[in-house]
Amino acid sequence: MHRRRRHQRDTDEGAGPDSSVGRSGEADDSRLQKLEGKDTHDVSTCAKDEHAIIKDTTTSSPKQKHISEKGKATHDVYAKDTNTIIKGTISSKQSFHVTKYVILRCVGFVYFIAFLGAYYQNIGLMGKNGLVPAINHMEQLKQNFSTPIKGFLSHPTLYWFIGTTLEDWHMEATAIIGMILSIFVMIGLNSWLVMLMLWLLDFSIVTVAGSNSFYAYGWESQLLETGFLAIWLCDIPSFSKGYIFRDAPSLSEPSLIVLWLFRWLCARISIGAGLIKLRGGKCWQEKTCLYYHFETQPIPSPMSFLFHFLPKQMLRRAVDLDFFVQLYSIWLVILPGFNWYMTNLRRLGGSIQVSICVKSLYNHMKCVVCVLTLFSIQAGFMINIMLSGNFAFLNHVTIIPALACLDDACFPSWLTNYVYQSRKIRTDDVESRTRRSKIARLFIDICLLSLIGMLSIPVITNLLQIDGNRQAMNASFSSFRLVNTYGAFGSVGEVRYEPIISVSSDGQNWTEVELPCKPGDVKRRPCFCAPYHYRLDWNIWFIGFKPHQSMLQRRERWMYELLHKMLDNSTDSDKRPWLSLLHPISATYLEQNTIQYAKVDMYRYKMNEALWLMSRIRGEEVVWWTREFEEVLIRPLRMQANGVLAYANMYELQG
């Protein structure tokens, strides 16, 4: 007994004057470990090492002595959490710090691409002298609503509050500010306020473009919905701590409710795309759609010439793969992680939706053992889609919600190490702060879950066709587009028809006008441009659908305005912003020549040869396409003295 007391006294003396703090920290560590569901046996070594470091620091550093007991306990817990991940020991509680880190930066990247395209194209598309001026649409909206608030609630855009008419510099400023904030997010200076500003800026552009078809794409709503959820993935507002414009530099676990809403978005995107194919064109049931898809898609890439000439049996199996990914395996992403098996099934579902290698780790004898590496089916699937064509940022924004299925154990160790080591460890009063934040977080999560749940009812009704109507593709059911239905390529055209614009100075010699990426000159190499979105190139593709005149007269009436501006021959560059939408060679030609006539002809295009055959050609020009004349879409036009377009007569064209 005497020896035991003397040993205890020696131990207390060796611990130094702050030994009570060390014991209190150990007690707090034990209590917090139990609350967090950690396996104390697995992390015992890390805990002992960490306590040894803290004790040594206590005796040697005067500054450390002034840290409160709770602060030291908090430091211990978060230091052990960091060591737990870095050393590869996985606790029974799943962590999503890296998931949050990756999702927010991916959202920032897609926002940047969207605003970049808006900066370079929107003045030409819908500026004051653009093809479809947005100012007309905005002025019409202002006449329909008595106050800006009412207008904003019906058509959300910040342009309600500028106090003047919409100008080109307003749209340019919107794009520039959006790009700057997107860069902030990508480098880690993100917060709920930055994400909210990005969402409002993007919404402002999409809303003001409502009078034209240049922003009538499903991925616009998809980015808005993803961006809205990203707002709530950030830390809740913490004005007193000074983290209004960025998240607190600490390891803050994201809301599981928000992660589940991301998974719900992932499920709706995939199910909607799968069902629209199943209920759409017969070629999906007959498994022949991919015989034509790579040739007839909006903007083929060079790799499209590889996929189009693959064996037909392989293309039929690719249709099976499409249905497997979008319909049969998508249910895995919404599985709850009640146990090891269901957690890994959900990881598998997420990996099938994104191109990431998922690994399941066991913690045994303080070492990491990779027991399973799931090379995702969607890795090849998504990469094939990205290579086979230019689908703007559709594939990129589709990957983001699937990332919410993956916990920190699914990411590469170098990324996990970087995220945890780059975050500062909190040393404030974590108990009082946690109490307040948990109540606020719970309130926000309940409100958000209720809102998304209520808005999901018409989406589910549409997907299941409960009301008896056909499934709507890329439809929104509320003005703020918080919950939408998605889908793409429900039907696939079997023949590629390409509108070709031609201009002439004398009515006899014609020069074709090229766009940046759409097929035109049969010897011009197809381009890689995704995730950048050439909107005019995409929109002109829709005119190729039969009946061509119907598309031209309804959805794509901007074509007549484009021809009118080509015949205007204005020398003022400010009045010709639309030139930036064309291929640089064609833009230069129009600037240097006086155009008297313009027309549009329809051609039928076919891919010439497989990519592997063209790669063997040496010393001669490669012919990518073959084409044959189909019909005259718009007869030769000329501009009259009063500025009105008129059809040219045969005598003028014959000279």
Side-chain angles (χ1 to χ4, degrees), residues 374-422:
L374 301 174
F375 292 98
S376 72
I377 297 173
Q378 185 69 355
F381 185 72
M382 274 292 178
I383 291 174
N384 285 346
I385 293 177
M386 292 180 184
L387 292 177
S388 67
N390 295 286
F391 299 101
F393 50 82
L394 171 62
N395 302 120
H396 304 74
V397 76
T398 300
I399 286 175
I400 294 175
L403 292 170
C405 303
L406 309 177
D407 54 74
D408 291 354
C410 301
F411 292 92
S413 58
W414 63 266
L415 179 60
T416 306
N417 293 349
Y418 173 78
V419 172
Y420 275 78
Q421 290 175 341
S422 63

Side-chain angles (χ1 to χ4, degrees), residues 29 55 64 117 125 153-154 160-161 179 205 230 295 300 355 376 406 422 458 487 503 520 568:
D29 290 345
K55 288 181 179 180
Q64 190 72 18
L125 292 174
L153 294 177
S154 178
W160 286 105
F161 308 104
M179 285 190 289
I205 295 175
E295 183 177 72
S355 56
S376 72
L406 309 177
S422 63
V503 294
D568 187 21

Side-chain angles (χ1 to χ4, degrees), residues 179-196:
M179 285 190 289
I180 293 173
L181 293 179
S182 300
I183 294 173
F184 286 168
V185 173
M186 286 190 286
I187 64 177
L189 299 178
N190 53 269
S191 74
W192 63 274
L193 183 57
V194 174
M195 300 306 297
L196 176 62

Side-chain angles (χ1 to χ4, degrees), residues 294 297 299-309 387-389 607:
F294 301 110
Q297 63 182 299
I299 305 179
S301 73
M303 294 299 293
S304 304
F305 290 76
L306 169 65
F307 293 102
H308 178 68
F309 291 97
L387 292 177
S388 67
M607 289 182 172

Side-chain angles (χ1 to χ4, degrees), residues 541-592:
W541 172 74
F542 286 95
I543 302 177
F545 285 102
K546 287 187 174 183
H548 307 306
Q549 288 293 338
S550 177
M551 279 289 179
L552 187 62
Q553 298 293 336
R554 297 169 59 188
R555 192 182 191 276
E556 312 300 338
R557 282 195 58 82
W558 54 265
M559 176 63 79
Y560 290 99
E561 185 64 25
L562 177 60
L563 298 179
H564 184 279
K565 291 182 178 299
M566 287 181 178
L567 295 170
D568 187 21
N569 293 309
S570 173
T571 57
D572 188 353
S573 59
D574 291 337
K575 293 184 178 181
R576 311 186 85 185
W578 50 272
L579 285 173
S580 63
L581 305 174
L582 308 179
H583 191 281
I585 295 178
S586 294
T588 302
Y589 179 84
L590 292 175
E591 286 180 324
Q592 297 176 350

Side-chain angles (χ1 to χ4, degrees), residues 177 181 210 248 266 277 313 434 448 452 526 539 568-569 574 606:
I177 295 173
L181 293 179
C266 176
K277 293 182 176 70
Q313 190 62 27
T434 300
L448 185 62
I452 299 300
N539 277 58
D568 187 21
N569 293 309
D574 291 337
K606 291 183 179 180

Side-chain angles (χ1 to χ4, degrees), residues 253-317:
E253 190 76 24
S255 166
L256 290 180
I257 295 296
V258 177
L259 292 175
W260 274 105
L261 292 178
F262 269 110
R263 296 167 192 169
W264 171 229
L265 171 59
C266 176
R268 284 187 287 109
I269 293 171
S270 190
I271 293 171
L275 289 179
I276 203 70
K277 293 182 176 70
L278 201 61
R279 297 164 175 165
K282 292 183 178 180
C283 66
W284 289 110
Q285 287 80 40
E286 297 171 353
K287 302 180 182 180
T288 60
C289 276
L290 296 187
Y291 294 178
Y292 327 105
H293 166 73
F294 301 110
E295 183 177 72
T296 62
Q297 63 182 299
I299 305 179
S301 73
M303 294 299 293
S304 304
F305 290 76
L306 169 65
F307 293 102
H308 178 68
F309 291 97
L310 290 175
K312 290 189 175 181
Q313 190 62 27
M314 185 179 296
L315 296 175
R316 293 176 65 88
R317 298 289 75 80

